Amino acid sequence: MSDVQTLLETAFQSAITRAYGPEYADTDPLVRSSADAAFGDWQANVAMSLGKKLGKPPRAVAEALVKHLDLGTVASSVDIAGPGFINVKLADAFLVAALAGLDGDPRLGVAQTSHPDTVAVDYSAPNVAKEMHVGHIRSTIIGDALSRMLEFAGHRVLRRNHLGDWGTQFGQLIEHMVDRGLDGSDGHGIGDLNDLYRQSKARFDAEPDFAERARRRVVALQSGDPETRRLWSALIAESKRHFNEIYKRLGVSLSDADYFGESFYNDMLEPTAGELVAKGVAVQSEGALCVFPPGFKGRDGAPVPLIVKKSDGGYGYDNTDLAAIRHRILDLGCSRLVYVVGSPQKQHFDLLFAAARMAGWLTDAVRAEYVPFGSVLGEDGKMFKTRSGEVIKLTDLIDEALKRARDIVDAKAPDMTDDDKVAVARAIGMGALKYVDLSNDRIKDYVFSWDRMLAFEGNTAPYLQNAYVRIRSIFRKADEAGLRPNPDAVPVAEPAERALAVELLRFPDAVAQVERSLEPHRLCTYLYGLASLFHSFYESCPVLAAKDPATRSGRLALCGMAGRALALGLSLLGIDTVDRM
RNA sequence: GCGUUCGUAGCUCAGCUGGAUAGAGCGACGGACUUCGAAUCCGUAGGUCGCAGGUUCGACUCCUGCCGGACGCACCA
């Protein structure tokens, strides 16, 4: 069963074609959920814009469209209102049948895409020998949710964790390891490596002799000196252990298979630069090899370059990114590229995409999307830091989320077993941490607040999880009583029943919106609305104590579908549900 | 200086790519538990959508200019 949104769009498109000819077949019928349930369930706003294009009064266009509209038994009424809104109210019989169809569908009406992309999603990107911190959380969580959603939509998703595992800083790190006799074999944790980073940096700045040796060590690393490479590998292995641990605790779907660090592209740097030169895209400037995409002006009105090769002959991140985009399009055959990277790098990606177009790698057949996001702010409105002004480690953030969630579970469900408490606290804590990040429009900064994100009121993970828990609770009781849901006869007479039923049919559109916009908060807003409608339904429509068996089994089925929608929606965001909390 | 981005209720945020009377949560005030989890629900009060113009049947949404915040503008990523 195709979803209602698509069904209506198709029907209106046909009506447009029939009324005004095939040249208008591509007109977006502007089908939306009704602004107010009093108007109906869905509305089409195309009459106004089409009226302008045709030079006809919108009311007349609306009338023509309605005349040519064939909705069969879908709608009980189609009305024209105001300047030319076309309001559609679904027929109850159709609504009930649509829900029955939903019940047997594990995808809840979400169609598999007919145009699957191979899409590389670039996200998380921590740096070797540095613990992950709040600066990594948004990329990691948003990128993971988008990966899950694109995968669910039917695309082939290639997760690309662009690990910072190359560069001059490794000279200092490795030289310092040599000095201290560390070879990575003694199992020191990443905390030690964090110290290692700080100490080696300090020595590099303070000790000229050390700095010189560090520079030589960089050369050794680049030329493949075995001992240097061994130490370098040990650093990376230790760092990955830390990152994987964080991903596992967060429930992020990144694994060893997804690391494609900067070093992965080393062998491609030379060919990439060579191709850019051969194509005349890259030119010499101030001793460096640069690409100057047109239209980018710097401080003095000078053009802004992408530096392919530094004046010292080395390669920097600009060329690594060029090599990566080339590789993803030419070698991996990606038709869509998604970069989940903070908004300060907007210009860098504008330059990168422009350069990739100049080189002929990025064509109209490939969609390259930069997915920027804002910062996490403390309650003082400034960058989120510890009280002493330190960067907040991800591991500490996770610890605190779990602790606070555990406190809530202890207070509200004291009779639960300890194992269950751990599991529930994890679902709530990690859910809250992720949901707060996903539910805010990603382009904006957001203010971090433990109390708000862990609250059971408002647009939070616990609120959604609790709606699911209430549903599970009903089913436990129903099972005990031997009651079965009847998905073929969901009652829609009560306003709360009907509102919930209609909202369930909007699930596919909510998912589609995220696939289009790469804005996970749109799904969050939908799920919050759904949970809210369920809670209202729950208050006004008794399920197990319904007046008659038919209503009871029908409402039970409605609860079941709402529960599945919540669980599926949350899972697409990377958030778990639990049966009790 | 140039560029990007944000500014919606006291606070935290939505507003579906130009549509109907701008919505939610918190906080305030007032209600609802002998019934499926009150971890919830229902209601009231609260907004010149930063400011000023413009485009149009219609602007929180698009354009221009200001104000305010954040960020970015060549060899660090």
Side-chain angles (χ1 to χ4, degrees), chain A residues 242-412:
Chain A
H242 162 74
F243 303 144
N244 290 344
E245 177 66 18
I246 295 275
Y247 296 145
K248 191 177 160 201
R249 295 183 77 198
L250 271 175
V252 161
S253 64
L254 284 169
S255 70
D256 275 336
D258 305 312
Y259 288 109
F260 292 88
E262 293 165 340
S263 64
F264 175 80
Y265 302 98
N266 279 350
D267 293 343
M268 306 175 205
L269 298 178
E270 196 69 55
T272 300
E275 187 178 335
L276 290 168
V277 171
K279 287 183 167 171
V281 172
V283 296
Q284 289 292 334
S285 171
E286 295 178 31
L289 186 63
C290 304
V291 179
F292 290 96
F296 294 88
K297 297 250 182 283
R299 209 178 291 277
D300 309 314
V304 181
L306 223 41
I307 295 174
V308 176
K309 194 177 208 174
K310 298 188 286 182
S311 53
D312 67 1
Y315 293 111
Y317 70 99
D318 280 350
N319 197 40
T320 304
D321 283 344
L322 283 164
I325 197 170
R326 175 175 174 270
H327 175 247
R328 288 171 192 179
I329 297 171
L330 268 42
D331 301 334
L332 301 177
C334 291
S335 48
R336 191 173 183 184
L337 305 167
V338 173
Y339 290 88
V340 187
V341 181
S343 51
Q345 300 210 46
K346 163 100 167 105
Q347 183 177 249
H348 172 67
F349 282 95
D350 285 343
L351 286 164
L352 180 67
F353 294 165
R357 284 203 177 81
M358 291 166 73
W361 305 326
L362 185 54
T363 63
D364 290 346
V366 180
R367 185 151 45 136
E369 290 165 291
Y370 171 52
V371 180
F373 52 84
S375 309
V376 182
L377 269 29
E379 300 206 49
D380 57 0
K382 303 196 172 134
M383 293 294 284
F384 193 34
K385 298 236 168 97
T386 63
R387 293 183 126 210
S388 52
E390 308 257 309
V391 178
I392 296 174
K393 297 176 186 175
L394 228 42
T395 178
D396 292 342
L397 208 57
I398 292 169
D399 285 344
E400 181 153 7
L402 292 177
K403 184 192 163 298
R404 286 175 180 262
R406 176 60 191 253
D407 288 347
I408 292 170
V409 175
D410 280 339
K412 307 221 170 183

Side-chain angles (χ1 to χ4, degrees), chain A residues 435 438-439 459 464 520-529 573:
Chain A
Y435 193 84
L438 295 166
S439 60
N459 191 8
L464 300 186
H521 80 281
R522 294 182 185 278
L523 179 59
C524 296
T525 302
Y526 167 80
L527 291 174
Y528 176 51
L573 298 170

Side-chain angles (χ1 to χ4, degrees), chain A residues 536-548:
Chain A
S536 298
F537 159 82
Y538 182 91
E539 295 292 330
S540 61
C541 301
V543 177
L544 300 177
K547 292 175 185 55
D548 58 89

